[in-house]
mmCIF file with all atom_site columns, all heavy atoms in Angstrom:
data_model
loop_
_atom_site.group_PDB
_atom_site.id
_atom_site.type_symbol
_atom_site.label_atom_id
_atom_site.label_alt_id
_atom_site.label_comp_id
_atom_site.label_asym_id
_atom_site.label_entity_id
_atom_site.label_seq_id
_atom_site.pdbx_PDB_ins_code
_atom_site.Cartn_x
_atom_site.Cartn_y
_atom_site.Cartn_z
_atom_site.occupancy
_atom_site.B_iso_or_equiv
_atom_site.pdbx_formal_charge
_atom_site.auth_seq_id
_atom_site.auth_comp_id
_atom_site.auth_asym_id
_atom_site.auth_atom_id
_atom_site.pdbx_PDB_model_num
ATOM 1   N N   . PHE A 1 13  ? -0.523  15.564  8.370   1.00 0.00 ? 13  PHE A N   1
ATOM 2   C CA  . PHE A 1 13  ? -1.645  14.615  8.353   1.00 0.00 ? 13  PHE A CA  1
ATOM 3   C C   . PHE A 1 13  ? -1.120  13.166  8.162   1.00 0.00 ? 13  PHE A C   1
ATOM 4   O O   . PHE A 1 13  ? -1.564  12.241  8.848   1.00 0.00 ? 13  PHE A O   1
ATOM 5   C CB  . PHE A 1 13  ? -2.629  14.958  7.245   1.00 0.00 ? 13  PHE A CB  1
ATOM 6   C CG  . PHE A 1 13  ? -3.702  13.887  7.070   1.00 0.00 ? 13  PHE A CG  1
ATOM 7   C CD1 . PHE A 1 13  ? -4.657  13.708  8.045   1.00 0.00 ? 13  PHE A CD1 1
ATOM 8   C CD2 . PHE A 1 13  ? -3.698  13.020  6.002   1.00 0.00 ? 13  PHE A CD2 1
ATOM 9   C CE1 . PHE A 1 13  ? -5.603  12.704  7.944   1.00 0.00 ? 13  PHE A CE1 1
ATOM 10  C CE2 . PHE A 1 13  ? -4.652  12.045  5.856   1.00 0.00 ? 13  PHE A CE2 1
ATOM 11  C CZ  . PHE A 1 13  ? -5.603  11.902  6.846   1.00 0.00 ? 13  PHE A CZ  1
ATOM 12  N N   . TYR A 1 17  ? 0.445   7.760   9.618   1.00 0.00 ? 17  TYR A N   1
ATOM 13  C CA  . TYR A 1 17  ? 0.535   6.607   8.710   1.00 0.00 ? 17  TYR A CA  1
ATOM 14  C C   . TYR A 1 17  ? 1.944   6.123   8.548   1.00 0.00 ? 17  TYR A C   1
ATOM 15  O O   . TYR A 1 17  ? 2.319   4.963   8.738   1.00 0.00 ? 17  TYR A O   1
ATOM 16  C CB  . TYR A 1 17  ? -0.063  6.964   7.368   1.00 0.00 ? 17  TYR A CB  1
ATOM 17  C CG  . TYR A 1 17  ? 0.069   5.845   6.332   1.00 0.00 ? 17  TYR A CG  1
ATOM 18  C CD1 . TYR A 1 17  ? -0.846  4.802   6.292   1.00 0.00 ? 17  TYR A CD1 1
ATOM 19  C CD2 . TYR A 1 17  ? 1.117   5.863   5.394   1.00 0.00 ? 17  TYR A CD2 1
ATOM 20  C CE1 . TYR A 1 17  ? -0.729  3.814   5.344   1.00 0.00 ? 17  TYR A CE1 1
ATOM 21  C CE2 . TYR A 1 17  ? 1.199   4.842   4.424   1.00 0.00 ? 17  TYR A CE2 1
ATOM 22  C CZ  . TYR A 1 17  ? 0.286   3.812   4.457   1.00 0.00 ? 17  TYR A CZ  1
ATOM 23  O OH  . TYR A 1 17  ? 0.402   2.784   3.508   1.00 0.00 ? 17  TYR A OH  1
ATOM 24  N N   . ALA A 1 22  ? 6.800   2.726   9.676   1.00 0.00 ? 22  ALA A N   1
ATOM 25  C CA  . ALA A 1 22  ? 8.209   2.553   10.141  1.00 0.00 ? 22  ALA A CA  1
ATOM 26  C C   . ALA A 1 22  ? 8.318   1.554   11.258  1.00 0.00 ? 22  ALA A C   1
ATOM 27  O O   . ALA A 1 22  ? 9.362   0.908   11.509  1.00 0.00 ? 22  ALA A O   1
ATOM 28  C CB  . ALA A 1 22  ? 8.756   3.882   10.580  1.00 0.00 ? 22  ALA A CB  1
ATOM 29  N N   . ARG A 1 32  ? -16.626 6.760   9.994   1.00 0.00 ? 32  ARG A N   1
ATOM 30  C CA  . ARG A 1 32  ? -17.628 6.409   11.021  1.00 0.00 ? 32  ARG A CA  1
ATOM 31  C C   . ARG A 1 32  ? -19.052 6.646   10.526  1.00 0.00 ? 32  ARG A C   1
ATOM 32  O O   . ARG A 1 32  ? -19.988 6.099   11.084  1.00 0.00 ? 32  ARG A O   1
ATOM 33  C CB  . ARG A 1 32  ? -17.345 7.212   12.291  1.00 0.00 ? 32  ARG A CB  1
ATOM 34  C CG  . ARG A 1 32  ? -16.053 6.830   12.959  1.00 0.00 ? 32  ARG A CG  1
ATOM 35  C CD  . ARG A 1 32  ? -15.840 7.633   14.205  1.00 0.00 ? 32  ARG A CD  1
ATOM 36  N NE  . ARG A 1 32  ? -14.479 7.502   14.669  1.00 0.00 ? 32  ARG A NE  1
ATOM 37  C CZ  . ARG A 1 32  ? -13.971 8.188   15.645  1.00 0.00 ? 32  ARG A CZ  1
ATOM 38  N NH1 . ARG A 1 32  ? -14.660 9.052   16.316  1.00 0.00 ? 32  ARG A NH1 1
ATOM 39  N NH2 . ARG A 1 32  ? -12.738 7.993   15.990  1.00 0.00 ? 32  ARG A NH2 1
ATOM 40  N N   . ARG A 1 36  ? -17.182 2.597   5.619   1.00 0.00 ? 36  ARG A N   1
ATOM 41  C CA  . ARG A 1 36  ? -16.280 2.085   4.632   1.00 0.00 ? 36  ARG A CA  1
ATOM 42  C C   . ARG A 1 36  ? -14.830 2.479   4.942   1.00 0.00 ? 36  ARG A C   1
ATOM 43  O O   . ARG A 1 36  ? -14.571 3.600   5.436   1.00 0.00 ? 36  ARG A O   1
ATOM 44  C CB  . ARG A 1 36  ? -16.655 2.645   3.242   1.00 0.00 ? 36  ARG A CB  1
ATOM 45  C CG  . ARG A 1 36  ? -18.061 2.347   2.762   1.00 0.00 ? 36  ARG A CG  1
ATOM 46  C CD  . ARG A 1 36  ? -18.259 1.010   2.053   1.00 0.00 ? 36  ARG A CD  1
ATOM 47  N NE  . ARG A 1 36  ? -17.438 0.792   0.937   1.00 0.00 ? 36  ARG A NE  1
ATOM 48  C CZ  . ARG A 1 36  ? -17.786 0.999   -0.330  1.00 0.00 ? 36  ARG A CZ  1
ATOM 49  N NH1 . ARG A 1 36  ? -18.966 1.519   -0.641  1.00 0.00 ? 36  ARG A NH1 1
ATOM 50  N NH2 . ARG A 1 36  ? -16.980 0.667   -1.280  1.00 0.00 ? 36  ARG A NH2 1
ATOM 51  N N   . TYR A 1 40  ? -5.674  5.585   -0.126  1.00 0.00 ? 40  TYR A N   1
ATOM 52  C CA  . TYR A 1 40  ? -4.644  6.216   0.614   1.00 0.00 ? 40  TYR A CA  1
ATOM 53  C C   . TYR A 1 40  ? -5.300  7.141   1.713   1.00 0.00 ? 40  TYR A C   1
ATOM 54  O O   . TYR A 1 40  ? -6.459  7.529   1.511   1.00 0.00 ? 40  TYR A O   1
ATOM 55  C CB  . TYR A 1 40  ? -3.747  7.053   -0.268  1.00 0.00 ? 40  TYR A CB  1
ATOM 56  C CG  . TYR A 1 40  ? -4.372  8.213   -1.006  1.00 0.00 ? 40  TYR A CG  1
ATOM 57  C CD1 . TYR A 1 40  ? -4.405  9.462   -0.427  1.00 0.00 ? 40  TYR A CD1 1
ATOM 58  C CD2 . TYR A 1 40  ? -4.998  8.058   -2.206  1.00 0.00 ? 40  TYR A CD2 1
ATOM 59  C CE1 . TYR A 1 40  ? -4.995  10.515  -1.056  1.00 0.00 ? 40  TYR A CE1 1
ATOM 60  C CE2 . TYR A 1 40  ? -5.617  9.108   -2.852  1.00 0.00 ? 40  TYR A CE2 1
ATOM 61  C CZ  . TYR A 1 40  ? -5.638  10.327  -2.285  1.00 0.00 ? 40  TYR A CZ  1
ATOM 62  O OH  . TYR A 1 40  ? -6.242  11.403  -2.879  1.00 0.00 ? 40  TYR A OH  1
ATOM 63  N N   . THR A 1 54  ? -11.349 7.837   10.960  1.00 0.00 ? 54  THR A N   1
ATOM 64  C CA  . THR A 1 54  ? -10.406 7.511   12.004  1.00 0.00 ? 54  THR A CA  1
ATOM 65  C C   . THR A 1 54  ? -9.360  6.522   11.444  1.00 0.00 ? 54  THR A C   1
ATOM 66  O O   . THR A 1 54  ? -9.606  5.846   10.464  1.00 0.00 ? 54  THR A O   1
ATOM 67  C CB  . THR A 1 54  ? -11.118 6.905   13.206  1.00 0.00 ? 54  THR A CB  1
ATOM 68  O OG1 . THR A 1 54  ? -10.217 6.736   14.291  1.00 0.00 ? 54  THR A OG1 1
ATOM 69  C CG2 . THR A 1 54  ? -11.775 5.572   12.873  1.00 0.00 ? 54  THR A CG2 1
ATOM 70  N N   . GLY A 1 60  ? -3.062  -6.513  7.240   1.00 0.00 ? 60  GLY A N   1
ATOM 71  C CA  . GLY A 1 60  ? -1.854  -6.835  6.419   1.00 0.00 ? 60  GLY A CA  1
ATOM 72  C C   . GLY A 1 60  ? -2.108  -7.907  5.396   1.00 0.00 ? 60  GLY A C   1
ATOM 73  O O   . GLY A 1 60  ? -1.169  -8.291  4.662   1.00 0.00 ? 60  GLY A O   1
ATOM 74  N N   . ALA A 1 62  ? -3.945  -9.264  1.882   1.00 0.00 ? 62  ALA A N   1
ATOM 75  C CA  . ALA A 1 62  ? -4.472  -8.691  0.618   1.00 0.00 ? 62  ALA A CA  1
ATOM 76  C C   . ALA A 1 62  ? -4.477  -9.818  -0.443  1.00 0.00 ? 62  ALA A C   1
ATOM 77  O O   . ALA A 1 62  ? -3.937  -10.840 -0.262  1.00 0.00 ? 62  ALA A O   1
ATOM 78  C CB  . ALA A 1 62  ? -3.592  -7.527  0.163   1.00 0.00 ? 62  ALA A CB  1
ATOM 79  N N   . HIS A 1 71  ? 10.766  -3.382  -16.189 1.00 0.00 ? 71  HIS A N   1
ATOM 80  C CA  . HIS A 1 71  ? 12.103  -3.773  -16.624 1.00 0.00 ? 71  HIS A CA  1
ATOM 81  C C   . HIS A 1 71  ? 13.040  -2.575  -16.765 1.00 0.00 ? 71  HIS A C   1
ATOM 82  O O   . HIS A 1 71  ? 14.259  -2.794  -16.826 1.00 0.00 ? 71  HIS A O   1
ATOM 83  C CB  . HIS A 1 71  ? 12.115  -4.574  -17.944 1.00 0.00 ? 71  HIS A CB  1
ATOM 84  C CG  . HIS A 1 71  ? 11.419  -5.903  -17.746 1.00 0.00 ? 71  HIS A CG  1
ATOM 85  N ND1 . HIS A 1 71  ? 12.098  -7.004  -17.323 1.00 0.00 ? 71  HIS A ND1 1
ATOM 86  C CD2 . HIS A 1 71  ? 10.147  -6.295  -17.990 1.00 0.00 ? 71  HIS A CD2 1
ATOM 87  C CE1 . HIS A 1 71  ? 11.227  -8.026  -17.248 1.00 0.00 ? 71  HIS A CE1 1
ATOM 88  N NE2 . HIS A 1 71  ? 10.064  -7.594  -17.668 1.00 0.00 ? 71  HIS A NE2 1
ATOM 89  N N   . LEU A 1 75  ? 14.671  6.359   -12.772 1.00 0.00 ? 75  LEU A N   1
ATOM 90  C CA  . LEU A 1 75  ? 14.611  7.214   -11.591 1.00 0.00 ? 75  LEU A CA  1
ATOM 91  C C   . LEU A 1 75  ? 15.264  6.536   -10.417 1.00 0.00 ? 75  LEU A C   1
ATOM 92  O O   . LEU A 1 75  ? 15.122  5.324   -10.201 1.00 0.00 ? 75  LEU A O   1
ATOM 93  C CB  . LEU A 1 75  ? 13.186  7.594   -11.263 1.00 0.00 ? 75  LEU A CB  1
ATOM 94  C CG  . LEU A 1 75  ? 12.415  8.334   -12.338 1.00 0.00 ? 75  LEU A CG  1
ATOM 95  C CD1 . LEU A 1 75  ? 10.944  8.477   -11.956 1.00 0.00 ? 75  LEU A CD1 1
ATOM 96  C CD2 . LEU A 1 75  ? 13.037  9.737   -12.534 1.00 0.00 ? 75  LEU A CD2 1
ATOM 97  N N   . ALA A 1 92  ? -7.663  -6.807  2.649   1.00 0.00 ? 92  ALA A N   1
ATOM 98  C CA  . ALA A 1 92  ? -8.774  -7.604  3.235   1.00 0.00 ? 92  ALA A CA  1
ATOM 99  C C   . ALA A 1 92  ? -9.905  -6.704  3.747   1.00 0.00 ? 92  ALA A C   1
ATOM 100 O O   . ALA A 1 92  ? -11.037 -7.114  3.699   1.00 0.00 ? 92  ALA A O   1
ATOM 101 C CB  . ALA A 1 92  ? -8.206  -8.468  4.381   1.00 0.00 ? 92  ALA A CB  1
ATOM 102 N N   . GLU A 1 93  ? -9.580  -5.479  4.133   1.00 0.00 ? 93  GLU A N   1
ATOM 103 C CA  . GLU A 1 93  ? -10.596 -4.551  4.676   1.00 0.00 ? 93  GLU A CA  1
ATOM 104 C C   . GLU A 1 93  ? -11.444 -3.856  3.573   1.00 0.00 ? 93  GLU A C   1
ATOM 105 O O   . GLU A 1 93  ? -12.328 -3.149  3.874   1.00 0.00 ? 93  GLU A O   1
ATOM 106 C CB  . GLU A 1 93  ? -9.933  -3.496  5.538   1.00 0.00 ? 93  GLU A CB  1
ATOM 107 C CG  . GLU A 1 93  ? -9.302  -4.020  6.799   1.00 0.00 ? 93  GLU A CG  1
ATOM 108 C CD  . GLU A 1 93  ? -7.978  -4.779  6.628   1.00 0.00 ? 93  GLU A CD  1
ATOM 109 O OE1 . GLU A 1 93  ? -7.356  -4.672  5.498   1.00 0.00 ? 93  GLU A OE1 1
ATOM 110 O OE2 . GLU A 1 93  ? -7.551  -5.476  7.526   1.00 0.00 ? 93  GLU A OE2 1
ATOM 111 N N   . PRO A 1 95  ? -10.276 -1.634  0.771   1.00 0.00 ? 95  PRO A N   1
ATOM 112 C CA  . PRO A 1 95  ? -9.669  -0.693  -0.140  1.00 0.00 ? 95  PRO A CA  1
ATOM 113 C C   . PRO A 1 95  ? -8.654  -1.339  -1.071  1.00 0.00 ? 95  PRO A C   1
ATOM 114 O O   . PRO A 1 95  ? -8.051  -2.381  -0.770  1.00 0.00 ? 95  PRO A O   1
ATOM 115 C CB  . PRO A 1 95  ? -8.923  0.278   0.787   1.00 0.00 ? 95  PRO A CB  1
ATOM 116 C CG  . PRO A 1 95  ? -9.527  0.059   2.117   1.00 0.00 ? 95  PRO A CG  1
ATOM 117 C CD  . PRO A 1 95  ? -10.003 -1.307  2.166   1.00 0.00 ? 95  PRO A CD  1
ATOM 118 N N   . MET A 1 98  ? -2.069  0.722   -4.309  1.00 0.00 ? 98  MET A N   1
ATOM 119 C CA  . MET A 1 98  ? -0.940  0.541   -5.204  1.00 0.00 ? 98  MET A CA  1
ATOM 120 C C   . MET A 1 98  ? 0.279   0.257   -4.317  1.00 0.00 ? 98  MET A C   1
ATOM 121 O O   . MET A 1 98  ? 0.456   0.809   -3.285  1.00 0.00 ? 98  MET A O   1
ATOM 122 C CB  . MET A 1 98  ? -0.659  1.853   -6.013  1.00 0.00 ? 98  MET A CB  1
ATOM 123 C CG  . MET A 1 98  ? -1.766  2.138   -7.002  1.00 0.00 ? 98  MET A CG  1
ATOM 124 S SD  . MET A 1 98  ? -1.481  3.631   -7.914  1.00 0.00 ? 98  MET A SD  1
ATOM 125 C CE  . MET A 1 98  ? -0.074  3.102   -8.886  1.00 0.00 ? 98  MET A CE  1
ATOM 126 N N   . VAL A 1 101 ? 5.101   -5.834  -5.233  1.00 0.00 ? 101 VAL A N   1
ATOM 127 C CA  . VAL A 1 101 ? 5.193   -7.237  -4.734  1.00 0.00 ? 101 VAL A CA  1
ATOM 128 C C   . VAL A 1 101 ? 6.648   -7.612  -4.783  1.00 0.00 ? 101 VAL A C   1
ATOM 129 O O   . VAL A 1 101 ? 7.360   -7.453  -5.796  1.00 0.00 ? 101 VAL A O   1
ATOM 130 C CB  . VAL A 1 101 ? 4.310   -8.184  -5.584  1.00 0.00 ? 101 VAL A CB  1
ATOM 131 C CG1 . VAL A 1 101 ? 4.566   -9.635  -5.170  1.00 0.00 ? 101 VAL A CG1 1
ATOM 132 C CG2 . VAL A 1 101 ? 2.850   -7.801  -5.494  1.00 0.00 ? 101 VAL A CG2 1
ATOM 133 N N   . GLU A 1 106 ? 4.789   -17.383 -7.470  1.00 0.00 ? 106 GLU A N   1
ATOM 134 C CA  . GLU A 1 106 ? 4.070   -17.184 -8.762  1.00 0.00 ? 106 GLU A CA  1
ATOM 135 C C   . GLU A 1 106 ? 3.046   -16.148 -8.661  1.00 0.00 ? 106 GLU A C   1
ATOM 136 O O   . GLU A 1 106 ? 2.159   -16.200 -7.761  1.00 0.00 ? 106 GLU A O   1
ATOM 137 C CB  . GLU A 1 106 ? 3.475   -18.514 -9.189  1.00 0.00 ? 106 GLU A CB  1
ATOM 138 C CG  . GLU A 1 106 ? 2.790   -18.409 -10.537 1.00 0.00 ? 106 GLU A CG  1
ATOM 139 C CD  . GLU A 1 106 ? 2.227   -19.753 -10.993 1.00 0.00 ? 106 GLU A CD  1
ATOM 140 O OE1 . GLU A 1 106 ? 2.576   -20.786 -10.451 1.00 0.00 ? 106 GLU A OE1 1
ATOM 141 O OE2 . GLU A 1 106 ? 1.323   -19.689 -11.811 1.00 0.00 ? 106 GLU A OE2 1
ATOM 142 N N   . GLU A 1 114 ? 0.735   -10.874 1.855   1.00 0.00 ? 114 GLU A N   1
ATOM 143 C CA  . GLU A 1 114 ? 0.835   -10.269 3.176   1.00 0.00 ? 114 GLU A CA  1
ATOM 144 C C   . GLU A 1 114 ? 1.829   -9.148  3.119   1.00 0.00 ? 114 GLU A C   1
ATOM 145 O O   . GLU A 1 114 ? 2.713   -9.099  2.314   1.00 0.00 ? 114 GLU A O   1
ATOM 146 C CB  . GLU A 1 114 ? 1.367   -11.339 4.207   1.00 0.00 ? 114 GLU A CB  1
ATOM 147 C CG  . GLU A 1 114 ? 2.716   -11.888 3.892   1.00 0.00 ? 114 GLU A CG  1
ATOM 148 C CD  . GLU A 1 114 ? 3.131   -13.015 4.829   1.00 0.00 ? 114 GLU A CD  1
ATOM 149 O OE1 . GLU A 1 114 ? 2.264   -13.687 5.412   1.00 0.00 ? 114 GLU A OE1 1
ATOM 150 O OE2 . GLU A 1 114 ? 4.366   -13.246 4.902   1.00 0.00 ? 114 GLU A OE2 1
ATOM 151 N N   . GLY A 1 120 ? 10.394  1.382   5.856   1.00 0.00 ? 120 GLY A N   1
ATOM 152 C CA  . GLY A 1 120 ? 9.200   2.053   6.322   1.00 0.00 ? 120 GLY A CA  1
ATOM 153 C C   . GLY A 1 120 ? 8.129   2.261   5.229   1.00 0.00 ? 120 GLY A C   1
ATOM 154 O O   . GLY A 1 120 ? 7.171   3.019   5.478   1.00 0.00 ? 120 GLY A O   1
ATOM 155 N N   . PRO A 1 122 ? 5.179   0.203   2.991   1.00 0.00 ? 122 PRO A N   1
ATOM 156 C CA  . PRO A 1 122 ? 4.524   -1.090  2.828   1.00 0.00 ? 122 PRO A CA  1
ATOM 157 C C   . PRO A 1 122 ? 4.700   -1.653  1.400   1.00 0.00 ? 122 PRO A C   1
ATOM 158 O O   . PRO A 1 122 ? 4.446   -0.959  0.445   1.00 0.00 ? 122 PRO A O   1
ATOM 159 C CB  . PRO A 1 122 ? 3.090   -0.786  3.202   1.00 0.00 ? 122 PRO A CB  1
ATOM 160 C CG  . PRO A 1 122 ? 2.925   0.677   3.082   1.00 0.00 ? 122 PRO A CG  1
ATOM 161 C CD  . PRO A 1 122 ? 4.322   1.273   3.257   1.00 0.00 ? 122 PRO A CD  1
ATOM 162 N N   . VAL A 1 123 ? 5.152   -2.904  1.376   1.00 0.00 ? 123 VAL A N   1
ATOM 163 C CA  . VAL A 1 123 ? 5.176   -3.672  0.111   1.00 0.00 ? 123 VAL A CA  1
ATOM 164 C C   . VAL A 1 123 ? 4.538   -5.010  0.488   1.00 0.00 ? 123 VAL A C   1
ATOM 165 O O   . VAL A 1 123 ? 4.212   -5.292  1.639   1.00 0.00 ? 123 VAL A O   1
ATOM 166 C CB  . VAL A 1 123 ? 6.640   -3.902  -0.392  1.00 0.00 ? 123 VAL A CB  1
ATOM 167 C CG1 . VAL A 1 123 ? 7.261   -2.585  -0.775  1.00 0.00 ? 123 VAL A CG1 1
ATOM 168 C CG2 . VAL A 1 123 ? 7.487   -4.607  0.678   1.00 0.00 ? 123 VAL A CG2 1
ATOM 169 N N   . ARG A 1 125 ? 4.201   -9.435  -0.193  1.00 0.00 ? 125 ARG A N   1
ATOM 170 C CA  . ARG A 1 125 ? 4.799   -10.680 -0.724  1.00 0.00 ? 125 ARG A CA  1
ATOM 171 C C   . ARG A 1 125 ? 3.725   -11.765 -0.733  1.00 0.00 ? 125 ARG A C   1
ATOM 172 O O   . ARG A 1 125 ? 2.752   -11.688 0.005   1.00 0.00 ? 125 ARG A O   1
ATOM 173 C CB  . ARG A 1 125 ? 5.974   -11.066 0.115   1.00 0.00 ? 125 ARG A CB  1
ATOM 174 C CG  . ARG A 1 125 ? 5.633   -11.381 1.543   1.00 0.00 ? 125 ARG A CG  1
ATOM 175 C CD  . ARG A 1 125 ? 6.857   -11.801 2.352   1.00 0.00 ? 125 ARG A CD  1
ATOM 176 N NE  . ARG A 1 125 ? 6.434   -11.931 3.732   1.00 0.00 ? 125 ARG A NE  1
ATOM 177 C CZ  . ARG A 1 125 ? 7.126   -11.401 4.763   1.00 0.00 ? 125 ARG A CZ  1
ATOM 178 N NH1 . ARG A 1 125 ? 8.284   -10.812 4.581   1.00 0.00 ? 125 ARG A NH1 1
ATOM 179 N NH2 . ARG A 1 125 ? 6.698   -11.568 5.982   1.00 0.00 ? 125 ARG A NH2 1
#
Side-chain angles (χ1 to χ4, degrees):
F13 173 70
Y17 177 82
R32 293 181 194 173
R36 303 275 303 263
Y40 65 90
T54 187
H71 293 276
L75 298 173
E93 294 76 14
M98 293 180 68
V101 175
E106 182 180 338
E114 62 185 22
V123 296
R125 62 179 172 226

